[in-house]
Amino acid sequence: DAVRAATDRRLAAARQRLETVLDAGELLAMDRRLAALFKDGEADASFLVVLNMNVVAARQKASEAADDEAATQRARVMEHLYTRAQEEWEKRLENAANGVLHRLARTEDPAIRRNILVHYLAPKTTIDVPGNDPVPLDAPQPPLLSSDDLGRAIADAVASLRKLDYDGDVIRANIEDCKAIAKEARLVLIEHGTPEQVKRFEDDLTLTWPMAT
């Protein structure tokens, strides 16, 4: 249909742009071409999806051929480019909630994700002083990030992924990552937020997933 055709065109264009980056040959030159794509607005979510697919394929080939130095090197290059692409994407996100969500999505350790969520969603009760113990505040300061904004960012990210209409494991895995982050954020809000904040967060995501306990 028309949606699938449009998706296929975006993915095909993203593959061509990735080949342009890889054709640079040397890693620093690849970095420069990658940064230029983002600077010129030519790298979008489709580009990240294609790059992620190439990372997965390169890792698999390297694991299946442990003695193939070329396969191992390609996997390393693809992982490096994906990390750099994630960093460039975050720099260009206008909404702070989208930037935090993107950071969470590329953090594999659940404990680190929780620390990030607490840092942004929990009210501030102390001020960090380098070389000294934290100084307590007379009154808690608002969180660095609104849970309402994070809830909308998660819902928007999932909606954008579903619009790609691409039958691939990468799309489903990214949606599952968003779901896991939503559940983790909800638990942080239960611990550090108010019942009203938790309710609004759940309501924002009701149309995306039913929030489980």
Side-chain angles (χ1 to χ4, degrees):
D1 58 17
V3 174
R4 181 59 181 269
T7 296
D8 289 343
R9 287 195 296 271
R10 288 198 297 270
L11 293 174
R15 292 188 188 97
Q16 290 178 348
R17 292 184 181 113
L18 178 57
E19 287 301 322
T20 299
V21 172
L22 294 173
D23 285 345
E26 195 269 329
L27 197 58
L28 288 178
M30 292 184 202
D31 277 356
R32 287 193 291 270
R33 288 190 182 183
L34 185 71
L37 284 179
F38 282 94
K39 182 179 179 180
D40 296 339
E42 296 182 1
D44 56 10
S46 298
F47 181 80
L48 292 179
V49 167
V50 167
L51 188 49
N52 185 274
M53 292 169 66
N54 277 266
V55 170
V56 172
R59 284 175 179 168
Q60 183 175 352
K61 185 173 182 179
S63 66
E64 292 172 351
D67 297 331
D68 189 340
E69 181 60 31
T72 301
Q73 181 61 24
R74 180 176 173 83
R76 290 172 181 165
V77 169
M78 298 308 303
E79 289 172 355
H80 169 80
L81 291 176
Y82 187 61
T83 298
R84 287 286 293 110
Q86 296 273 14
E87 293 169 352
E88 290 294 330
W89 181 254
E90 289 174 10
K91 288 179 186 177
R92 285 154 179 76
L93 290 173
E94 296 179 358
N95 190 313
N98 289 336
V100 172
L101 175 58
H102 211 67
R103 181 181 174 189
L104 289 165
R106 67 186 186 93
T107 301
E108 297 182 359
D109 190 329
I112 297 177
R113 284 202 304 270
R114 172 181 160 76
N115 289 341
I116 294 171
L117 285 165
V118 170
H119 174 73
Y120 283 100
L121 296 180
K124 300 301 172 187
T125 58
T126 61
I127 296 177
D128 291 331
V129 179
N132 293 282
D133 292 334
V135 177
L137 294 171
D138 292 335
Q141 296 297 307
L144 296 175
L145 179 67
S146 163
S147 57
D148 296 343
D149 289 345
L150 180 60
R152 284 189 289 270
I154 293 172
D156 289 346
V158 173
S160 296
L161 287 166
R162 287 174 175 165
K163 285 179 182 177
L164 287 175
D165 192 31
Y166 189 76
D167 185 18
D169 292 337
V170 173
I171 298 294
R172 288 190 290 271
N174 277 277
I175 290 175
E176 285 302 310
D177 286 344
C178 288
K179 186 174 184 179
I181 291 168
K183 289 182 177 180
E184 292 167 358
R186 177 178 177 271
L187 293 177
V188 168
L189 286 174
I190 289 173
E191 182 177 350
H192 294 280
T194 66
E196 292 77 13
Q197 286 176 316
V198 175
K199 180 65 166 57
R200 288 200 308 272
F201 187 77
E202 293 175 349
D203 289 345
D204 281 342
L205 297 174
T206 295
L207 296 179
T208 306
W209 310 287
M211 297 296 294
T213 57

